[in-house]
Structure formats: C-alpha cells, structure tokens
Amino acid sequence: MAKNWEQELIAKAESRKALIGVVGLGYVGLPLVAEMAEAGYTVLGFDVTQRVVDTVNQGVSHVQDVPSERLARYVKAGKVSATTDLSRLGEPDCLAICVPTPLSKSRDPDVSFILAATDSVAKTIRPGQLVVLESTTYPGTTRELMLPALERSGLKVGQDFFLAFSAERVDPGNPRFHTRNTPKVMGGITPACSRVVVAIYQPAIETLVPVSSPEAAELAKLLENTFRSVNIGLVNEMAIVCDKLGVDVWEVIDAAATKPFGFMKFTPGPGVGGHCIPLDPHYLAWKMRTLNYRTRFIEVAGEVNSQMPEYWVEKVTAALNQQSKAVKGSKLLVIGVAYKPDIDDIRESPAMDVIRLLQQLGGVVEYHDPYIPEFREEGLTLKSVPLDAARVRAADCVVIVTDHSSLDYEMLGREARALVDTRHTVATRTKRKAK
Ligand SMILES: NC(=O)c1ccc[n+]([C@@H]2O[C@H](COP(=O)([O-])OP(=O)(O)OC[C@H]3O[C@@H](n4cnc5c(N)ncnc54)[C@H](O)[C@@H]3O)[C@@H](O)[C@H]2O)c1
C-alpha cells in the first residue's frame, strides 16, 4: 500500500520529529528558524551567503529581532545549524523559502531568487516533503512557477509532496508583534497541502489563518502592504494640502483620529522605505498589467510617496532662506537614515533621496544614526557623526528623517538653528512631556 505522507507529516509535527529547513536566513528566515526551534523542532538553515551561514553556526545573529544569546542557545543544544550545501535540501521534511523578492531596474518583479531556490529544491525533492513559499510575490507564483518545476520530479502534489504559500508578516523592530504572535495566513495547492502546512506551523505560531488557495494567501499579503502604501500616500498628500492651506496637518490627523470608528490613523513623513511597502504593491500592479488592467491606487500612492523627499528638501531650502542662506555650502545634519525608527535597515530608505538631493544642491551633509554607523548606497558613502549640542549648533539646518526613540529630541529642538522635522517628532515629544 502507498504510504500516506499527509498522516506521516502530521504525526512528525505532533512529535516535533519533523526536520524543518529554512531557505534564506535574513530578516524573515532567521526569526522563523528561532520560532521553529523554540517550538521543539530541529532546524537546518540554508543560505547561499557563506558569511550568513558561518555566523548562524557560531550562534551570532545578524538580525536585530533574534538576539545572539537566543540563537546561541539553540545552536549549542543542537537544535539549529546552517549550511550552504543545497544538495542537503532533500533532508528536511518542511522547506520554508524566505528569499528576497526585489524589483528589477524597470520596477518589474524580480522572481529570480524564488526560481533559483525552487530549482535547487526540485533537484532533491523526495516523497513526504512540504514546500512553503514565504517570500512576498504576485498571485499565481506558487501555482504557476513553483508547482510545474517541482512536479517535473514525477511526484504528485497533495499526495507525494505538499506545496503552500504563507507570507511572512514580520515587522522588524516591533516590540509587541513578532513572528510567533502575528497571525499567519496560509493556503495550500490542495486541501491536503493546507492540512499539512497548518500542522507543521501550529506549534510555532500562535494563530494560523488557513485560506482556500495559495492565490488568496498571496493576495492577502499584497492587500495589506498596498493598504499601507495607499494610506501613507493619502496622508502624505494631506500634509501637502494642509501646508498649502496653512493648517497644521498633525492637528487635523489627531482630531480625525478621535472618531471611534471608520478611521485609522496614518502619519505623514519623508516617504516609504524597507523591503516591503515601496516594492510589494508593484508586484500586484505588474501582474494586473499582464491582464490589461491598471491598478490606479497603487500608481498614485507610489508617485506621492516617492515625491516626499523633494517636498522636504524644499522645506530645508525655505528654512535656510529664512537665515538668508542657500543650500549650497550650508552645513546640514540629517538625523536618522534607517527606513524606520529603531531598526538597522536602510533598504529603500527615503533618507538616501533626501541626502542625495541636498548634496546635488551643494549642501554639505552629515548624518547621525545610532543604528547605522556607516553606509554605502549607489555612490553615496557616509559615516555617522556623534550627536552633541555643539554639532547641532554648528549645523545651518537639522533635518529629522527617522525618529529613533533613543535620541534627545529636546536638545535637538533647543539647539538647532533651523529644524525640518519630517516626523513632527520634536513637537510631539515636547507636548507629551509637558502633559
Ligand atoms: N524584511 C521584512 O521586513 C519583510 C517582512 C515580511 C516579508 N518580507 C519578505 O520576505 C522575503 C525575504 O525578505 P528578507 O527581508 O528576509 O530578505 P533578506 O535579504 O534579509 O534575506 C534573504 C536571504 O536569502 C538568501 N538567499 C538568496 N537566494 C537564496 C537561495 N537561492 N538559496 C538560499 N538562500 C538564498 C540571501 O543570502 C539572504 O541571506 C521577501 O520576499 C520580503 O518581501 C520581508
């Protein structure tokens, strides 16, 4: 009689005897490794970057959300190890694929990392394996790109092996929600695939949300991130509207937010950054273009958000003008270059655009960021300078781009000769303190 792989995998989940493989050990993969190990599984991590594998094996974490002490505990107990040897992809019972999904230069989806990982898995796939795509991507990727590649092995999905999509929703640096307590949406190619993926993840994630297909799960993730992009775009446009009308946008937002239903507070800022919000909606826009449909909200929000650095640079120009100065030759101190507060990630950070635009106008730009000691981005190389009252006083204008919580905003507000605060953080914190 043919083996019932579904029952076998569910039993291995219950006994925690399933070996979990995580492919791609970055911001998403490493926290998943930690949660799977915490749940009692043994985890084998795969990455194509030797340095990443070496540090994981030394119990040293390169991801802020996974403290090294925690990782070292699992490594020491033999619960976590990592390898660059992709010929070992046949060993785990479950393979969670957490590779990057960037955009190409023409802002089309670049699924080459998913294709490469799928090719590697296809070479070693064996009966009784579950493959889960966690990377954010356009609807149809799991069924149209991965399934045919994996079925070329001669194995049948839902019977010999299982395939599902379950996007990671982790919000790096969030002190309240992390991989374990953020509900996880998952959709299998067949009902058996859904049952298996739920059984494997149940011990590691508090709330699982099964949906009827991988496409529904893929779209849920894109809806979430498009929702954020569109609402940030809306509130950024409202900031411009209020500015032109001479009304304080923050007062307007706070007043609107007193409505106990039907309103959700978003705040304006320097634009959007990170590996998700600026990129993911374009995956959906691209897919819809292939079906002759233009997703207008996505385009408009992207346009408004990407113009915000220019808006803030105009504010710097105006602030310098008040002191009868030009941007050219002025000393400008940028505070915060990470794409959001309290994290060490500069991917797609609007701070890069702000700095580049100021330099193009001849500004002499320095920055301070406690999380980013230095960076090299598309021709820009800068080192963080220490932050003290003398340096703040020496700047012709201070520009707050990212409001890390550890900084002394009172001092910034007091000492800066001119201040452009894209996050309204000095006023907000001063008001909070006064209360
Ligand atoms: N960073 C976030 O906040 C976040 C949140 C939710 C979802 N996501 C999504 O998760 C996915 C991964 O993002 P990330 O931020 O973890 O990326 P990352 O760049 O931090 O990590 C990806 C890792 O995958 C490795 N890799 C690349 N190709 C590989 C291959 N063929 N085989 C094995 N390893 C390979 C890289 O070396 C890297 O270490 C993306 O689709 C992203 O959109 C990211």
Side-chain angles (χ1 to χ4, degrees):
M1 212 173 74
K3 207 161 182 175
N4 186 326
W5 291 110
E6 177 186 344
Q7 271 175 17
E8 176 142 334
L9 271 174
I10 292 173
K12 277 188 173 182
E14 279 164 6
S15 63
R16 307 291 188 275
K17 290 212 171 101
L19 175 65
I20 307 296
V22 175
V23 184
L25 303 173
Y27 286 92
V28 163
L30 203 60
L32 182 65
V33 166
E35 291 310 340
M36 289 293 192
E38 188 64 36
Y41 289 117
T42 302
V43 189
L44 177 58
F46 294 86
D47 206 291
V48 290
T49 309
Q50 188 69 49
R51 180 182 41 83
V52 168
V53 164
D54 289 345
T55 49
V56 169
N57 282 330
Q58 287 155 13
V60 176
S61 171
H62 60 290
V63 172
Q64 206 184 325
D65 284 346
V66 181
S68 288
E69 312 82 73
R70 185 177 176 204
L71 183 61
R73 196 159 21 94
Y74 303 135
V75 172
K76 214 169 151 205
K79 294 305 259 179
V80 168
S81 59
T83 180
T84 53
D85 181 1
L86 302 184
S87 70
R88 294 183 63 192
L89 284 166
E91 290 176 29
D93 299 292
C94 164
L95 288 167
I97 299 180
C98 310
V99 296
T101 43
L103 292 176
S104 69
K105 283 258 175 283
S106 55
R107 302 201 76 71
D108 286 341
D110 173 2
V111 289
S112 60
F113 295 91
I114 295 181
L115 288 174
T118 305
D119 269 0
S120 306
V121 173
K123 283 189 187 126
T124 55
I125 192 162
R126 58 158 174 89
Q129 275 191 311
L130 162 69
V131 182
V132 187
L133 180 61
E134 297 233 3
S135 304
T136 308
T137 181
Y138 60 81
T141 307
T142 313
R143 194 185 300 274
E144 292 159 15
L145 293 187
M146 295 184 73
L147 181 59
L150 299 179
E151 281 202 322
R152 271 197 284 278
S153 61
L155 299 179
K156 192 160 172 35
V157 73
Q159 190 179 302
D160 305 321
F161 78 98
F162 305 92
L163 178 61
F165 179 84
S166 179
E168 179 51 62
R169 286 166 148 175
V170 74
D171 178 21
N174 190 320
R176 188 158 161 233
F177 291 107
H178 36 86
T179 301
R180 170 170 283 271
N181 67 358
T182 304
K184 201 155 171 39
V185 176
M186 31 193 32
I189 294 274
T190 70
C193 296
S194 292
R195 288 192 292 273
V196 170
V197 70
V198 165
I200 291 280
Y201 277 71
Q202 199 124 56
I205 310 290
E206 281 175 18
T207 309
L208 299 178
V209 186
V211 292
S212 65
S213 65
E215 289 76 14
E218 288 162 338
L219 263 172
K221 172 74 185 181
L222 292 180
L223 171 60
E224 290 158 27
N225 284 356
T226 302
F227 174 86
R228 282 192 63 74
S229 172
V230 166
N231 280 287
I232 294 168
L234 173 65
V235 84
N236 276 335
E237 182 160 81
M238 193 52 78
I240 297 169
V241 166
C242 286
D243 191 27
K244 288 191 184 294
L245 292 172
V247 178
D248 178 354
V249 68
W250 294 89
E251 188 184 5
V252 172
I253 293 168
D254 284 343
T258 59
K259 187 177 181 183
F261 48 86
F263 184 82
M264 185 180 278
K265 183 171 170 175
F266 282 82
T267 51
V272 287
H275 187 15
C276 295
I277 311 297
L279 310 188
D280 299 349
H282 292 286
Y283 270 70
L284 184 54
W286 173 86
K287 176 71 185 182
M288 296 319 295
R289 278 201 300 277
T290 69
L291 299 174
N292 264 332
Y293 183 82
R294 198 161 64 86
T295 49
R296 286 152 289 174
F297 279 100
I298 291 175
E299 280 178 30
V300 171
E303 217 172 278
V304 173
N305 290 331
S306 63
Q307 280 168 3
M308 290 313 285
E310 274 170 46
Y311 170 82
W312 288 109
V313 166
E314 276 170 29
K315 293 281 160 210
V316 175
T317 310
L320 290 169
N321 196 40
Q322 290 293 320
Q323 306 174 52
S324 307
K325 285 179 186 159
V327 178
K328 191 168 181 176
S330 285
K331 280 181 89 171
L332 307 166
L333 177 60
V334 169
I335 304 295
V337 295
Y339 81 85
K340 67 173 185 173
D342 301 336
I343 64 154
D344 60 0
D345 190 351
I346 56 165
R347 289 181 293 179
E348 308 287 325
S349 174
M352 301 302 139
D353 291 326
V354 171
I355 292 174
R356 200 171 291 116
L357 288 167
L358 291 172
Q359 285 186 336
Q360 276 166 8
L361 291 172
V364 182
V365 185
E366 290 184 324
Y367 84 92
H368 172 78
D369 191 313
Y371 291 88
I372 317 283
E374 60 183 307
F375 69 82
R376 192 174 296 199
E377 275 283 297
E378 293 177 25
L380 266 185
T381 308
L382 283 177
K383 272 194 169 102
S384 176
V385 295
L387 186 65
D388 53 42
R391 192 172 293 269
V392 173
R393 278 196 299 271
D396 296 300
C397 184
V398 174
V399 191
I400 299 177
V401 177
T402 303
D403 51 343
H404 295 301
S405 53
S406 59
L407 302 183
D408 183 352
Y409 293 98
E410 219 175 34
M411 183 273 280
L412 282 174
R414 193 179 58 241
E415 304 292 347
R417 277 193 262 162
L419 182 71
V420 171
D421 185 353
T422 71
R423 310 268 183 168
H424 198 61
T425 194
V426 171
T428 309
R429 284 168 204 255
T430 312
K431 205 159 90 186
R432 218 181 287 147
K433 214 166 170 191
K435 270 189 189 161

